[in-house]
Amino acid sequence: NLPSAKLEVLPQLPETGEEIVELARILDADMTRDVYLGTEASEENVKAAPLGNYSIIAFATHGLISGDLDGLYQPALALSSPSVTGGLEDGLLTMDEIMALRVNADWVVLSACNTGTADSAGAEAISGLGGAFFYAGAGAMLVSYWPVETTSSRMLTTELFRLQRSNPLLTRSEALHQTYQALIKHDGYKVNSS
């Protein structure tokens, strides 16, 4: 438990819920059984979920590295705060806790900041949270090595899976490459000045 972590100080990310819902629709997931948002996105629910039954697992949240919050000494995914869920855990799915999970996913998507980043220089190429999910049984990972912005992160993940769903013969790397290219050419969001 990390009682001093002050998970509540992290800003809410409403776009991440939209990202997960959109991914669930693209992948034909059962919204009542397979999607955890708000109070349902608790540490207890993630640990109790049958993660070994899913071929794709996606998290869209804050990715934290050691020192981001008081008392946090390893990378973690921020889940809903226990002050919101009423849970007994601290709301942080740490690297050690991830390694204790049993997943059988072909692909785990961590749509969050610094999820492939290690806490120390000279660490392995995929370390931190990405390495923990590999240890837990993930076949492939989509992680970031830097802070991400929620709108572009959402566009990346949803377009990636939409593209792969429309053309199942595309490899993950080719689908990701095509998605990157489309985002580079994207006009962005226009602001109405009137």
Side-chain angles (χ1 to χ4, degrees):
N1 263 351
L2 301 172
S4 67
K6 301 198 183 347
L7 185 60
E8 293 81 8
V9 301
L10 295 174
Q12 292 186 0
L13 301 171
E15 301 88 359
T16 59
E18 297 166 7
E19 179 179 352
I20 292 296
V21 167
E22 193 170 348
L23 285 172
R25 286 188 180 126
I26 292 166
L27 298 170
D28 295 324
D30 182 327
M31 295 294 203
T32 60
R33 184 191 67 215
D34 302 328
V35 177
Y36 297 87
L37 301 172
T39 58
E40 296 300 313
S42 70
E43 185 177 352
E44 290 87 351
N45 283 347
V46 170
K47 288 179 178 178
L51 299 177
N53 297 342
Y54 294 101
S55 60
I56 298 171
I57 299 171
F59 289 90
T61 185
H62 288 286
L64 305 170
I65 57 175
S66 178
D68 277 350
L69 297 175
D70 291 344
L72 183 61
Y73 299 105
Q74 59 181 296
L77 291 174
L79 300 173
S80 291
S81 170
S83 65
V84 172
T85 67
L88 300 175
E89 302 234 21
D90 57 26
L92 296 169
L93 191 61
T94 64
M95 187 171 69
D96 286 346
E97 291 169 325
I98 292 167
M99 290 191 308
L101 298 174
R102 292 296 155 241
V103 300
N104 191 30
D106 295 330
W107 206 350
V108 174
V109 175
L110 302 181
S111 183
C113 297
N114 302 311
T115 52
T117 304
D119 275 346
S120 61
E124 296 182 27
I126 297 279
S127 47
L129 299 173
F133 272 103
F134 272 133
Y135 183 85
M141 296 293 309
L142 182 60
V143 297
S144 68
Y145 288 94
W146 49 81
V148 297
E149 182 271 326
T150 57
T151 302
S152 49
S153 180
R154 175 184 177 185
M155 288 174 65
L156 175 77
T157 60
T158 56
E159 291 308 311
L160 170 64
F161 281 97
R162 191 173 284 116
L163 180 62
Q164 199 165 39
R165 186 72 178 214
S166 69
N167 187 352
L169 297 178
L170 279 179
T171 64
R172 287 184 192 107
S173 61
E174 182 56 33
L176 186 59
H177 174 74
Q178 287 184 25
T179 303
Y180 281 145
Q181 293 301 313
L183 290 177
I184 289 168
K185 295 174 187 171
H186 190 271
D187 286 338
Y189 291 96
K190 307 236 185 302
V191 177
N192 186 350
S193 60
S194 58

